[in-house]
Amino acid sequence: MTDFLLVTDLDNTLVGDDEALAELNDYLSHHRQQFGTKIVYSTGRSQALYHQLTTEKTLLQPDFLILSVGTEIYLTHSDTPDPNWANALSQNWDRDLVVATAAHFADLTPQPDTEQRPFKVSYFLTETAAVEVLPQLEHLLQERGLDVQLIYSGSIDLDILPRRANKGMAMSFLRDYLEIAPDHTVACGDSGNDLSMFANRDERGIIVGNAMPELLHWHQLNPSPHRYLAKGHCAAGILEGLKYFGFL
Ligand code: GLC
Ligand code: MG
């Protein structure tokens, strides 16, 4: 047994089955104590919604936090996001123009204010409308010279982010910062905004058994020996995957 870097999504990945979560928490807190394993939560939630979740569920204190779909990295229990990461994302990012461009689409309903972040503009969009809206929106954003990416998750959430930010890139930033090798790093997720932690990566990946069709479909088309699709749901799937890769 050695230390590893665990980067896990929260909603419907770590969180979703309280009993399994308690069992996994037990394993992880022992492992952290004994081997210095690092626990990172990587979520689409803003700081406000993350804090709300910590009052509702029993979560271990993470070593680091990645919030708002990889656009904010919180190091060493700081309350302010890492300025270097923010700096890198601010290059070429014109938030106002992104919002003005999205306003052309009546099917895009803005998410609550807490989820609108400096480097993240978020909407609700139905699956039916998404088929037409996503390509048109992407085209218009490109036409206006905006270097952004669209991330559609759970058949409802649309995030528009700077091209250089997502959960995968935030994981790379932390891995470099901590100097941890890809084969000692494992990412866990269930939906579209987790895909960047799995695509073209040397890190180990665990997709929980209850994953959304968008992620399952992509996984089936792009299999990798470094990625494990668990049978168990939520925390039970993570535990199963960690044992599969020999981390636990
Ligand atoms: C979380 C965030 C939301 C985002 C979604 C998908 O639910 O609160 O803003 O759109 O994750 O990334
Ligand atoms: Mg999730």
Side-chain angles (χ1 to χ4, degrees), residues 157-215:
D157 293 317
L158 174 67
D159 303 311
I160 310 178
L161 317 177
R163 174 84 58 201
R164 287 190 213 94
N166 54 38
K167 287 188 177 191
M169 291 180 195
M171 173 167 75
S172 297
F173 176 91
L174 260 188
R175 215 168 49 59
D176 286 349
Y177 174 80
L178 296 168
E179 299 182 349
I180 297 180
D183 62 352
H184 279 61
T185 303
V186 58
C188 316
D190 77 296
S191 85
N193 74 5
D194 300 311
L195 209 150
S196 59
M197 297 197 288
F198 300 126
N200 304 314
R201 294 224 150 238
D202 296 324
E203 292 88 351
R204 305 307 178 241
I206 299 171
I207 296 181
V208 289
N210 54 298
M212 295 293 299
E214 69 230 10
L215 185 60

Side-chain angles (χ1 to χ4, degrees), residues 76-125:
T76 55
H77 308 301
S78 162
D79 252 2
T80 20
D82 182 65
N84 294 326
W85 186 242
N87 229 343
L89 303 192
S90 62
Q91 316 289 318
N92 253 329
W93 167 245
D94 185 342
R95 194 182 193 287
D96 291 343
L97 191 54
V98 169
V99 173
T101 307
H104 288 282
F105 298 85
D107 289 311
L108 295 177
T109 308
Q111 288 189 12
D113 285 349
T114 59
E115 301 315 284
Q116 310 298 345
R117 304 294 304 156
F119 302 107
K120 169 174 173 286
V121 183
S122 296
Y123 300 90
F124 295 121
L125 174 67

